[in-house]
Amino acid sequence: MKRRRLETADVLRSCETGLQALPPQQRKAFRDITACRTAALGGWVRRCGRCGHQQISYRSCRNRHCPKCQAGRSAEWVQARGADLLPVPYYHVVFTLPEPLGPIALQNQRAVYGILFAAASQTLRTIAADEKHLGARIGFAAVLHTWGQTLTHHPHIHCVVAGGGLSADHSRWVRCREDFFLPVQVLSRFFRRRFLELLDQARRKGELVFAGKLQALPQPARWAKLLARLREIEWNVYCKPPFGGPGQVLKYLARYTHRVAISNSRLISLKDGRVTFRYKDYRRGRLPRTMTLEAAEFTRRFLQHVLPKGFVRIRSFGFLANCCRREKLALCRRLLGCEPQEQAPERAPCGGETPPQEPPSQPCPNCRLGTMLLSETLAPEAFALSEARSRSP
């Protein structure tokens, strides 16, 4: 009999004590992931109309932080965005927050991650529009990741940027130089200045909270010292060489857009309350390594990457912004002299979860001649009982 693969849900289930101490959104992610594709969520019984073979399938939780639920959503999103690609080079630009900002970001996820998006997008658009560099109005998609390979807190934004853009008067397409997009040092320093400006504005407006060890940080002297320290260090902005073509862009998007902090395929074992998993050591040339953590520490690290409710982690800017995408892409294709693309269906919002859908009919895996027909719907009674129990004092 084939052994079932270890899943993140198995590790979380081993740490169910102390669930009430978690913030509401982390508690919801914990419940959803541990219940995903189990009897707790209910499901369907299907029977072959020819040979009588029976199958039970359970509902998915559809939580955007669940390792088992993201592959399908990624494929849908990539298919919809494939029609947006232009016949130009595409670049991969990464904006990373320095380590001293990590504790502030963890206590102010919605505010700081929002500032990270704003600073990164303003940096790319401003530098690209400068006639000294590209002199064009660009378009790009940006994806927020908050983790490193070992589940540590590492907020950064991946941007997939078209290598060129519209001129200021929208009369021509401006191409970037071959194998060069924008100067990384210029991007890094503008990004640093803009992020710190927006962060300081948020503090002065009272939009940030400081608790625990950060309680004294808003004091003017301490805050000024932190900003001075952050201005002295180089901020990590990385621009990779252009993708080889639209196929590589789509492959990249499929891998990055709906990724969660760790995939089940990286888990090796869970034994005596300790979990071992694979990771790549980027400081040593992506060398493959393994790490073992206490299950409670693994759970803590995993759940710190649960985003605030409704926070959109995949965003589009410039001529790819939702408000003008169709019109501007049609203009770009006309200026590039390429055929118009058939419009892809609009995707569902990326900020939250979508309800589970009944699976489609499938051929019988036993006789391969009949069709598996729905014979019974299983109610999610066990899940309702466990949820009520978790809310009781």
Side-chain angles (χ1 to χ4, degrees):
M1 184 177 178
K2 187 177 179 180
R3 187 177 180 182
R4 189 176 72 86
R5 172 179 283 180
L6 178 65
E7 298 178 350
T8 301
D10 299 319
V11 183
L12 300 187
R13 288 190 198 101
S14 70
C15 303
E16 290 198 54
T17 55
L19 186 58
Q20 285 298 320
L22 296 175
Q25 200 63 15
Q26 290 188 12
R27 191 161 62 245
K28 181 182 186 305
F30 187 106
R31 285 199 302 262
D32 288 349
I33 294 169
T34 53
C36 186
R37 299 184 195 177
T38 70
L41 289 182
W44 303 271
V45 179
R46 293 186 176 275
R47 189 184 304 274
C48 176
R50 184 181 180 92
C51 70
H53 177 72
Q54 182 173 288
Q55 272 187 339
I56 299 176
S57 57
Y58 296 114
R59 290 184 174 92
S60 300
C61 69
R62 302 288 285 178
N63 191 298
R64 60 175 168 167
H65 303 98
C66 177
K68 288 187 288 190
C69 289
Q70 297 310 302
R73 298 187 71 191
S74 176
E76 293 168 6
W77 190 88
V78 169
Q79 183 180 12
R81 297 286 67 82
D84 296 343
L85 293 178
L86 298 171
V88 299
Y90 277 81
Y91 290 82
H92 176 199
V93 184
V94 184
F95 294 87
T96 303
L97 285 188
E99 189 175 347
L101 285 170
I104 301 174
L106 273 177
Q107 292 189 12
N108 300 273
Q109 290 182 314
R110 189 180 298 276
V112 174
Y113 296 159
I115 291 171
L116 177 55
F117 267 113
S121 63
Q122 290 174 24
T123 297
L124 281 174
R125 286 182 291 169
T126 302
I127 303 305
D130 191 331
E131 293 292 341
K132 292 187 298 183
H133 301 295
L134 182 60
R137 275 57 180 168
I138 60 174
F140 56 97
V143 185
L144 171 69
H145 286 181
T146 63
W147 55 84
Q149 279 281 299
T150 57
L151 298 181
T152 52
H153 188 233
H154 180 63
H156 56 285
I157 283 182
H158 296 265
C159 301
V160 177
V161 194
L166 296 167
S167 62
D169 60 2
H170 290 189
S171 65
R172 60 190 178 89
W173 178 265
V174 180
R175 298 182 183 272
C176 65
R177 288 156 47 190
E178 187 175 354
D179 291 340
F180 179 81
F181 181 51
L182 293 170
V184 170
Q185 189 175 67
V186 175
L187 291 173
S188 174
R189 293 184 178 178
F190 188 97
F191 171 60
R192 177 180 63 189
R193 175 166 62 85
R194 190 64 187 130
F195 184 95
L196 293 179
E197 288 173 352
L198 293 172
L199 185 70
D200 193 43
Q201 288 175 18
R203 181 196 64 86
R204 285 188 274 108
K205 291 178 181 178
E207 297 172 353
L208 303 178
V209 297
F210 299 91
K213 294 180 180 179
L214 302 183
Q215 197 167 8
L217 190 56
Q219 296 175 4
R222 293 202 176 193
W223 184 254
K225 184 178 180 179
L226 172 65
L227 294 185
R229 177 187 171 196
L230 290 168
R231 291 188 185 103
E232 290 174 356
I233 62 178
E234 292 294 333
W235 287 35
N236 188 9
V237 175
Y238 182 65
C239 185
K240 295 185 178 181
F243 294 97
Q248 281 194 15
V249 177
L250 288 178
K251 184 178 179 181
Y252 169 84
L253 289 172
R255 195 172 70 227
Y256 273 87
T257 52
H258 291 73
R259 179 179 284 185
V260 297
I262 189 169
S263 61
N264 289 332
S265 62
R266 289 173 54 196
L267 301 179
I268 299 174
S269 66
L270 174 62
K271 186 177 180 181
D272 298 328
R274 294 167 66 83
V275 58
T276 301
F277 60 94
R278 302 180 186 88
Y279 74 98
K280 293 178 183 176
D281 190 342
Y282 284 98
R283 294 182 178 180
R284 293 174 175 82
R286 299 168 61 94
L287 191 68
R289 295 183 180 274
T290 62
M291 173 174 284
T292 300
L293 296 173
E294 296 291 336
E297 172 61 13
F298 177 95
T299 299
R300 184 196 70 80
R301 291 192 187 191
F302 179 84
L303 292 177
Q304 72 180 343
H305 305 296
V306 173
L307 295 174
K309 182 178 181 180
F311 187 88
V312 180
R313 62 181 293 265
I314 307 173
R315 306 185 186 187
S316 299
F317 300 92
F319 62 70
L320 287 179
N322 292 335
C323 61
C324 63
R325 179 190 292 120
R326 292 188 180 186
E327 173 192 347
K328 292 294 174 62
L329 280 175
L331 173 60
C332 291
R333 290 195 176 95
R334 188 167 70 249
L335 295 174
L336 286 165
C338 58
E339 292 295 323
Q341 294 277 335
E342 182 179 343
Q343 290 295 335
E346 289 300 315
R347 68 184 186 276
C350 302
E353 293 74 40
T354 54
Q357 301 296 320
E358 181 181 328
S361 298
Q362 296 177 344
C364 175
N366 184 48
C367 68
R368 302 188 184 281
L369 297 174
T371 302
M372 301 298 291
L373 303 173
L374 180 67
S375 63
E376 184 183 354
T377 299
L378 305 175
E381 296 178 0
F383 179 67
L385 288 173
S386 66
E387 191 166 28
R389 195 181 303 119
S390 69
R391 289 177 178 174
S392 61

